[in-house]
Amino acid sequence: MTRILIVSNDDAERAVLRALLEAGGAQAVEAATYPGAAEVLARGGADAVVADHALDAGHTGLDLLGERRAASDRIPFVLAVALPDVDVGLERSGEPG
């Protein structure tokens, strides 16, 4: 079963994503904080990530993505960005549009 890490400091958002992922047959793993998500990923506890852009204490989903890429981790990563301009989000991510 595919383990998907949901990273969001919003309890309701995590609950909705968990329900959707589990209905699709995945195992949802949750982290409400950047350090919690980093810990799950460091121990190999997920096969993919869905992360909110805005996390906690000044951390972002982009920070988490950058950390994983710096560690040469190519885990599939979906970043939920609520920026008004998608191109700005892509520029900040360092990923090609």
Side-chain angles (χ1 to χ4, degrees):
M1 180 178 294
T2 302
R3 297 165 300 160
I4 301 177
L5 174 60
I6 302 165
V7 187
S8 175
N9 58 1
D10 183 301
D11 294 340
E13 184 175 75
R14 286 194 322 274
V16 167
L17 287 170
R18 173 185 278 280
L20 289 170
L21 293 170
E22 289 179 347
Q27 177 186 356
V29 179
E30 295 183 36
T33 65
Y34 176 93
E39 180 181 318
V40 169
L41 292 169
R43 69 173 190 262
D47 302 309
V49 178
V50 176
D52 192 3
H53 173 68
L55 297 176
D56 59 316
H59 290 111
T60 68
L62 284 176
D63 296 331
L64 188 61
L65 174 60
E67 176 185 300
R68 299 320 310 157
R69 295 305 183 249
S72 297
D73 185 352
R74 303 305 295 175
I75 190 170
F77 202 106
V78 174
L79 182 65
V81 180
L83 295 172
D85 184 340
V86 174
D87 291 334
V88 170
L90 290 172
E91 281 178 27
R92 291 182 187 172
S93 74
E95 297 292 322

